[in-house]
Amino acid sequence: MDKFIIEGNGPLNGEIDASGAKNAALPILCAALLSDEPLHVTNVPKLWDIGTTKKLLSQMGVDVQHPSEHEWVIDAKPITTCVAPYELVRTMRASILVLGPLLAKRGEAHVSLPGGCAIGARPVNLHLMGLEAMGAEIKLEGGFIHAKATRLKGAHIVFDTVTVTGTENLMMAAVLADGDTVLENAAREPEVVDLARCLRAMGAQIEGDGNTTIRIRGVKDLHAARHRVIADRIETGTYLVAGAATRGKVRVNKTDPSMLDAVLVKLQQAGAKVSTGVDFIEVDMQGQRPKGINIHTMPHPGFPTDMQAQFMAMNCLAEGTSTIRETIFENRFMHAQELLRLGADIRIEGNTAIITGKERLAAAPIMATDLRASASLVIAALAADGETFIDRIYHMDRGYENIEGKFAALGARMKRVGKLIS
């Protein structure tokens, strides 16, 4: 199994380019199932989860071509099965996103209940309740969701809680439904907006994305389209926080500052000089140690839960005592135990972490527990004395494209031991 060896060696300095957003690319690739004409998608990141999506679509009989490394052309016309099997779905929760498109376009879907990171309960009941409201017949048998519908009907759906994948699944289902659908208490994340942009390019009638109420008027068919995936805001934020934690100066290009307002405010509170342009963000600590900051995770446009672990690593190295309150997932402090092995001072009380910062941490063998936790451990290791070994780094390959190469470009001493996961 692959490991990272990281030697703490002072401030990170330099610039890198952001990759395409994993959490935008995954639903967009699934959206190709809604049409019998090709969907051409560019800026697709090269990641484990993306590879899993290719396997999932291909085993359904979908034709997937790669004109270039980050470019996909997906033709769902030759699809032969509407089954998403357990061996693929168990490794990636986002596989549930084939449910809405298959049901809307093909009239049936047989999708294994999903897996993915063990960061807390993320039930699919809101997806299923919404589809039932649109007229679908759904049964849960043998660990599978079995859904059927002659043609879905428009419906007024109110989410009990904000759900990103639930919003995306029902939005995709609604674009081919008979009549109008209204989604209330919908997710507002940039990735939801990007999916809506792609669907509109395919001929869907959607308005209100980016707000809490989304309205969709169903159409009979969608057509061929071309779409460029947005930059990955979480990857962008991760490298900026790494720069701040190591007292360095890091610039991320080919990104969108407007997607990271809550994160940039917190970096400024930590003492960073933040500069932005149309397509770049730069963080400069001017050699100073960051200040501890308080975090409260919230749905977008609040502070993203996917940046919580990275900020915890920075707070472990910051001046003063800080708190992080996690309100989205109940098991998302698993990285705290590994940070303690590096000498961090963290106390967990329910859904709140209290952190007292230290000047430096000390190297130790540690283990990644989920995708974003992996990034926090890299950040901490970059500011630890000695060589840190990080095990189970396959989590990072799920969401960070060429992470060692990008960190190396910023001056990090970081290498992978073992065969690269493809």
Side-chain angles (χ1 to χ4, degrees):
M1 188 177 291
D2 288 13
K3 295 179 174 64
F4 277 142
I5 303 175
I6 299 173
E7 182 181 350
N9 64 312
L12 296 179
N13 286 286
E15 57 185 84
I16 56 168
D17 292 341
S19 297
K22 173 183 84 91
N23 289 339
L26 293 175
I28 286 168
L29 298 177
C30 294
L33 294 168
L34 289 162
S35 177
D36 283 335
E37 298 182 10
L39 177 62
H40 192 159
V41 188
T42 61
N43 202 35
V44 180
K46 188 177 180 181
L47 301 167
W48 185 322
D49 279 6
I50 298 294
T52 299
T53 302
K54 179 182 178 181
K55 292 176 184 176
L56 179 58
L57 294 174
S58 296
Q59 72 86 34
M60 290 179 182
V62 175
D63 181 49
V64 182
Q65 300 294 326
H66 295 281
S68 64
E69 187 176 32
H70 296 101
E71 188 176 8
W72 287 41
V73 178
I74 313 155
D75 184 358
K77 187 175 182 179
I79 191 170
T80 57
T81 179
C82 293
V83 177
Y86 173 72
E87 59 265 24
L88 291 175
V89 177
R90 71 182 176 87
T91 65
M92 185 183 69
R93 178 177 174 77
S95 301
I96 192 69
L97 289 166
V98 302
L99 176 61
L102 286 174
L103 189 57
K105 179 65 178 176
R106 313 294 166 181
E108 64 174 321
H110 307 280
V111 181
S112 174
L113 290 166
C117 284
I119 56 173
R122 298 187 285 179
V124 298
N125 63 303
L126 297 179
H127 304 233
L128 306 186
M129 290 170 60
L131 291 172
E132 286 179 326
M134 297 171 74
E137 296 179 9
I138 295 176
K139 295 181 180 179
L140 299 180
E141 294 178 348
F144 270 77
I145 302 165
H146 299 277
K148 289 186 177 181
T150 51
R151 187 183 181 189
L152 295 172
K153 306 292 184 182
H156 193 131
I157 299 165
V158 181
F159 293 108
D160 290 342
T161 58
V162 177
T163 164
V164 174
T165 54
T167 299
E168 292 167 339
N169 229 342
L170 296 185
M171 185 164 63
M172 287 190 283
V175 297
L176 293 179
D178 181 16
D180 295 348
T181 298
V182 178
L183 304 179
E184 294 206 45
N185 197 28
R188 302 168 62 186
E189 273 70 6
E191 294 79 13
V192 174
V193 175
D194 201 35
L195 172 61
R197 286 177 51 241
C198 177
L199 292 170
R200 279 193 291 268
M202 297 170 71
Q205 296 185 21
I206 303 171
E207 60 181 29
D209 45 292
N211 298 296
T212 56
T213 300
I214 301 176
R215 300 179 185 276
I216 306 108
R217 173 157 290 178
V219 298
K220 187 176 180 181
D221 293 297
L222 298 184
H223 53 67
R226 183 184 179 97
H227 181 79
R228 179 179 174 84
V229 174
I230 58 173
D232 195 316
R233 62 192 173 104
I234 305 303
E235 183 206 36
T236 297
T238 297
Y239 289 110
L240 295 175
V241 171
T246 60
R247 312 185 192 188
K249 181 179 180 180
V250 168
R251 175 172 169 145
V252 181
N253 299 312
K254 298 184 180 180
T255 192
D256 183 353
S258 68
M259 297 191 297
L260 283 156
D261 288 342
V263 169
L264 299 185
V265 166
K266 290 300 179 182
L267 283 168
Q268 288 174 322
Q269 291 177 5
K273 179 183 177 183
V274 177
S275 304
T276 62
V278 174
D279 63 350
F280 78 87
I281 308 171
E282 183 177 271
V283 164
D284 185 358
M285 291 303 294
Q286 299 177 314
Q288 300 300 306
R289 184 182 177 191
K291 300 178 178 66
I293 52 170
N294 298 326
I295 298 290
H296 183 168
T297 63
M298 295 284 288
H300 192 80
F303 188 91
T305 182
D306 279 356
M307 286 300 304
Q308 175 257 106
Q310 298 90 314
F311 271 81
M312 181 180 287
M314 185 183 75
N315 278 348
C316 289
L317 295 154
E319 295 178 6
T321 298
S322 57
T323 61
I324 295 179
R325 186 180 176 204
E326 174 58 60
T327 69
I328 308 298
F329 295 122
E330 69 273 18
N331 293 342
R332 210 162 199 182
F333 284 150
M334 292 187 291
H335 48 281
Q337 295 302 315
E338 301 303 307
L339 292 171
L340 288 172
R341 289 178 52 80
L342 298 175
D345 185 343
I346 305 170
R347 187 172 79 255
I348 304 296
E349 296 182 359
N351 68 340
T352 301
I354 301 102
I355 305 132
T356 300
K358 293 188 172 182
E359 276 275 350
R360 295 285 292 180
L361 299 176
I366 51 179
M367 179 179 70
T369 54
D370 64 69
L371 171 53
R372 304 309 173 184
S374 305
S376 75
L377 300 183
V378 171
I379 292 170
L382 290 168
D385 293 325
E387 282 191 342
T388 297
F389 288 73
I390 305 180
D391 204 352
R392 296 180 66 184
I393 63 170
Y394 61 84
H395 287 293
M396 282 180 239
D397 294 321
R398 290 187 53 230
Y400 290 94
E401 182 177 21
N402 188 24
I403 187 170
E404 64 267 43
K406 291 189 178 184
F407 269 119
L410 299 175
R413 296 176 184 169
M414 176 178 178
K415 64 180 178 179
R416 182 187 293 258
V417 178
K419 184 180 179 181
L420 178 64
I421 300 170
S422 59

